[in-house]
Amino acid sequence: MGPSFDDGTSLYNFVVRDGNGVKGMVDSGLTTVPAAYMQPPRERIDKESARKHEHPPIDLSRLDGPEHDEVAVEIVRAAETLGFFQVINHGVPVDLLESLKDTANKFFGLPPEQKAVYRSEVSPTPLVKYGTSFVPEKEAALEWKDYISLQYVNDAEALQHWPIEIRDVALEYLRTSIKMVRKLLEVLMVNLGMKLVDPKIDALIDKKMVNMNFYPTCPNPDLTVGVGRHSDMGTITVLLQDGIGGLYVKIEEDMRFGKKGEWVEIPPTPGALVINVGDMLQVLSNKRYKSAEHRVRTTNTTSRVSIPIFTIPKLTEKIAPLPHLVEKDGIARYREFMFADYMKNFFGNAHEGKKSLDFAKNVDSS
């Protein structure tokens, strides 16, 4: 007799504690959404009311030629408005992107016991964590997602500790993407008045994580979310979508393609990568750049994968708005903090929009 998904404890033990994940639940023949995954109406994603963000991808090859300044303006404008944009000619081979998607699907197709060895409680290494949802023990409603997270320290440790099934392709994705991230960060920081040789630029992307997210088919996507509303805690996120779509971004201020508070879908573009601004850039820029609030919808037709790279500061890095921007603005919108403290707070709470930034708010600025 299989587990009862109507019983919250039985479901939690099967999905979370035993490492079967959402996929294990779906593979058991699930035909309805269990109560533990039903989102309150305000959190559900209305696919029909969201428009698609039709802005063309930014061609990064133009950064290396006479059109550099023009492209830099496009990047800055995107960071200051939506906080999300797509890029092409980014230096990551398109066949590698296809291989990544195939590899992720194969990994999540492995027997549960092969994945469950990397659950945080039993993983043989702190560099690899397999899990489900975000922080299941803190969430009122669980997210319809399984994932594996790979922390990068150096190539040798990745080759030693990352799962052999995904190791090589994930490492190549990181190697080829990080050059692009550095270029984008240079454009954004120079625009804020920072010099290219400033060691702060490297310190802001000192740590990297590659995640593989898996969203199994869902009996009723209207009742669930793949990922709840949140912004990313780090500096810059690179995201590979598959062709299915389901990524939605919230508009923070009225703009040409939508009004404040509306959600727009970032449609998959073949060969493109999605870039989004993280919380640390919003803090450093004294809120000039927007760390985008986003979420993910599930589907009932086929499973979906997405593969982000999170670049984050050194844990000991002190983060605060750049002093010359505070002087110019006449106010510091955020206080100084150590990044490790911000990260601890971020992972200690369920997703709730951009509430994570409250940790950094300067009480004098409200």
Side-chain angles (χ1 to χ4, degrees):
M1 182 175 160
S4 167
F5 299 131
D6 295 327
D7 174 65
T9 302
S10 177
L11 179 146
Y12 187 92
N13 289 343
F14 178 84
V15 174
V16 180
R17 190 197 65 188
D18 299 338
N20 289 289
V22 180
K23 186 175 189 301
M25 189 170 60
V26 171
D27 287 349
S28 73
L30 189 77
T31 56
T32 59
V33 173
Y37 287 89
M38 288 189 187
Q39 296 289 331
R42 70 180 181 278
E43 299 296 343
R44 297 174 189 174
I45 301 173
D46 183 359
K47 185 180 180 182
E48 304 310 317
S49 68
R51 70 182 77 190
K52 283 190 173 12
H53 179 52
E54 302 291 4
H55 199 281
I58 297 173
D59 183 349
L60 291 187
S61 66
R62 295 164 59 218
L63 265 181
D64 298 322
E67 297 175 282
H68 175 278
D69 292 353
E70 185 183 324
V71 180
V73 167
E74 288 181 49
I75 292 166
V76 167
R77 187 185 302 125
E80 290 177 338
T81 52
L82 192 61
F84 257 82
F85 53 100
Q86 298 197 70
V87 294
I88 54 171
N89 295 324
H90 36 61
V92 184
V94 173
D95 59 349
L96 174 61
L97 300 182
E98 294 307 310
S99 179
L100 269 163
K101 290 181 274 191
D102 291 343
T103 300
N105 276 304
K106 285 176 186 169
F107 177 80
F108 286 101
L110 291 173
E113 58 272 16
Q114 283 184 246
K115 297 173 287 187
V117 296
Y118 293 107
R119 287 184 300 114
S120 57
E121 300 84 359
V122 297
S123 180
T125 168
L127 301 182
V128 182
K129 179 188 175 186
Y130 171 75
T132 189
S133 200
F134 181 57
V135 279
E137 63 278 8
K138 296 277 185 80
E139 292 165 340
L142 298 173
E143 299 177 349
W144 198 268
K145 175 192 80 171
D146 300 330
Y147 68 89
I148 188 155
S149 180
L150 312 171
Q151 284 193 51
Y152 178 81
V153 177
N154 55 50
D155 283 10
E157 293 213 20
L159 290 168
Q160 182 181 350
H161 295 295
W162 289 7
I164 193 168
E165 298 89 351
I166 57 179
R167 178 189 68 194
D168 294 342
V169 71
L171 194 52
E172 188 61 22
Y173 176 43
L174 180 59
R175 283 181 187 139
T176 50
S177 295
I178 208 65
K179 297 172 191 168
M180 167 191 60
V181 170
R182 171 77 202 212
K183 275 186 184 178
L184 292 170
L185 188 58
E186 285 176 356
V187 166
L188 293 170
M189 298 311 284
V190 165
N191 177 66
L192 297 178
M194 190 177 276
K195 290 184 168 56
L196 278 180
V197 293
D198 196 313
K200 184 98 177 166
I201 292 180
D202 285 320
L204 289 173
I205 53 172
D206 179 74
K207 289 180 71 66
K208 296 104 181 164
M209 289 185 293
V210 181
N211 276 26
M212 289 184 172
N213 299 324
F214 186 78
Y215 308 94
T217 51
C218 177
N220 191 340
D222 293 336
L223 300 178
T224 60
V225 296
V227 180
R229 298 179 298 112
H230 71 289
S231 56
D232 290 349
M233 67 171 178
T235 304
I236 286 177
T237 300
V238 178
L239 176 72
L240 170 61
Q241 296 198 81
D242 63 13
I244 296 158
L247 173 64
Y248 293 82
V249 181
K250 190 175 186 179
I251 298 173
E252 279 206 18
E253 295 173 3
D254 288 355
M255 55 184 69
R256 176 169 59 76
F257 50 79
K259 292 192 174 355
K260 179 178 179 178
E262 289 182 346
W263 290 86
V264 292
E265 183 178 4
I266 307 293
T269 301
L273 289 167
V274 179
I275 307 296
N276 73 278
V277 171
D279 290 349
M280 296 307 101
L281 282 183
Q282 178 160 326
V283 171
L284 286 159
S285 68
N286 211 27
K287 213 176 177 180
R288 282 167 174 74
Y289 298 147
K290 307 292 190 300
S291 67
E293 183 176 342
H294 54 288
R295 57 187 181 176
V296 174
R297 194 175 191 274
T298 58
T299 72
N300 59 2
T301 52
T302 184
S303 56
R304 174 180 181 267
V305 293
S306 68
I307 307 164
I309 294 173
F310 301 104
T311 62
I312 63 176
K314 284 196 293 193
L315 295 181
T316 55
E317 189 71 11
K318 289 186 174 174
I319 306 290
L322 297 174
H324 65 276
L325 298 181
V326 173
E327 186 178 347
K328 185 175 181 181
D329 297 342
I331 190 168
R333 302 188 187 281
Y334 304 98
R335 63 181 178 84
E336 184 180 76
F337 55 88
M338 194 162 72
F339 180 70
D341 295 330
Y342 191 93
M343 188 164 86
K344 183 180 178 184
N345 177 72
F346 184 87
F347 284 115
N349 295 284
H351 284 146
E352 195 178 344
K354 292 181 71 169
K355 196 171 181 186
S356 53
L357 271 166
D358 289 350
F359 176 85
K361 271 191 180 163
N362 187 346
V363 291
D364 296 332
S365 72
S366 48

